[in-house]
Amino acid sequence: MAYNSREKTVIDRGKKYYSSGEYKAAEQEFLRALQINAGSTEALFELGKLHYVSGQPLKSVKKLEQVIQKDSGYTHAYMLLGKACIDLKEYENAVRTWRIIFGRASISDEFKDYYFDYGESALMAEYYSEAINAFKWYLVFYPRSTKARYQLGMAYFRKGDYSMAVKVLEGVKNFAPARYIQAFAYRYLGRFRKSLECMEKAEELALKY
């Protein structure tokens, strides 16, 4: 990344302020870096990150989009953009972002934690096959994740594959929400006795927590 020593000094100072939670001071340093070099993708990215962690996802998106316009290979900007879009409930935009990132096979493993975010975005945007694939990948890395297994079951359920929903959710059968979804899935499959059993178990589990 090409930038002059003065710009680097200012950005590094901003990062130190950021690390110590002094966000206002950090913001001033990153803005100062942009005065030195208006095209500084690093300064823009750091501002986008700062806005995101301080609960300003819209401002974050604007800065991150500027980064990507200047450097389409700035991977971390895409990842943070996806997260910010989720916070704004812009799930379609989030999915488009994840597609770009996870289409780059060489970095997929590095960003394995983001498969859950991809799945969540795809599920909310009703791209159920994509959600299923993303949650499956997440479970490759984190096979004990109750949350991911539940979301995978939900994706199958919303896709209308009730048999797979039942099967997947069996892996989290002590989780009340999973039992509720199983109950509805069994009902759609015409297995009313099993549906009732799952509903009763779900209510039993719900009372424990």
Side-chain angles (χ1 to χ4, degrees):
M1 187 176 296
Y3 50 107
N4 64 48
S5 58
R6 185 172 166 224
E7 177 190 345
K8 181 181 185 304
T9 298
V10 173
I11 289 175
D12 286 347
R13 188 161 57 235
K15 287 180 178 180
K16 287 181 181 178
Y17 281 129
Y18 174 86
S19 296
S20 62
E22 298 178 68
Y23 294 155
K24 191 63 180 177
E27 182 178 18
Q28 292 305 310
E29 295 301 323
F30 299 140
L31 289 172
R32 190 169 291 117
L34 287 172
Q35 291 176 346
I36 298 168
N37 176 11
S40 174
T41 53
E42 186 171 10
L44 286 168
F45 173 75
E46 292 298 333
L47 279 169
K49 184 168 69 172
L50 188 153
H51 292 320
Y52 180 76
V53 300
S54 58
Q56 302 177 79
L58 184 57
K59 291 180 72 173
S60 178
V61 164
K62 290 179 179 178
K63 286 292 183 290
L64 294 168
E65 286 178 339
Q66 288 180 50
V67 174
I68 291 167
Q69 285 173 4
K70 295 176 183 296
D71 181 0
S72 62
Y74 206 123
T75 303
H76 288 84
Y78 279 104
M79 305 312 293
L80 193 54
L81 177 60
K83 299 279 285 185
C85 285
I86 289 176
D87 285 2
L88 291 169
K89 301 188 188 317
E90 295 180 357
Y91 301 114
E92 291 275 354
N93 289 335
V95 169
R96 282 194 286 271
T97 301
W98 304 127
R99 284 173 181 165
I100 292 170
I101 289 302
F102 289 107
R104 300 173 180 177
S106 60
I107 62 141
S108 293
D109 183 69
E110 180 186 354
F111 293 98
K112 59 183 181 294
D113 289 356
Y114 291 93
Y115 274 112
F116 188 90
D117 298 294
Y118 184 7
E120 182 181 37
S121 305
L123 184 59
M124 295 303 293
E126 301 182 359
Y127 295 116
Y128 301 129
S129 294
E130 278 186 75
I132 288 166
N133 188 56
F135 288 129
K136 280 183 175 179
W137 270 110
Y138 188 84
L139 286 165
V140 167
F141 298 109
Y142 302 102
R144 295 185 179 180
S145 172
T146 296
K147 184 167 64 171
R149 196 165 296 278
Y150 169 71
Q151 292 287 55
L152 176 59
M154 178 64 78
Y156 275 119
F157 179 82
R158 290 189 179 175
K159 188 182 179 183
D161 192 340
Y162 304 121
S163 294
M164 279 302 299
V166 166
K167 182 178 179 180
V168 169
L169 293 172
E170 195 63 23
V172 284
K173 62 183 180 182
N174 291 322
F175 183 49
R179 281 299 202 177
Y180 280 119
I181 299 303
Q182 272 191 318
F184 286 114
Y186 275 125
R187 182 177 180 182
Y188 286 124
L189 289 168
R191 299 178 64 181
F192 301 111
R193 185 181 296 276
K194 287 291 294 183
S195 176
L196 181 59
E197 288 175 5
C198 286
M199 187 62 72
E200 290 175 346
K201 184 62 178 178
E203 291 174 354
E204 179 185 324
L205 288 167
L207 289 173
K208 291 181 179 180
Y209 299 99

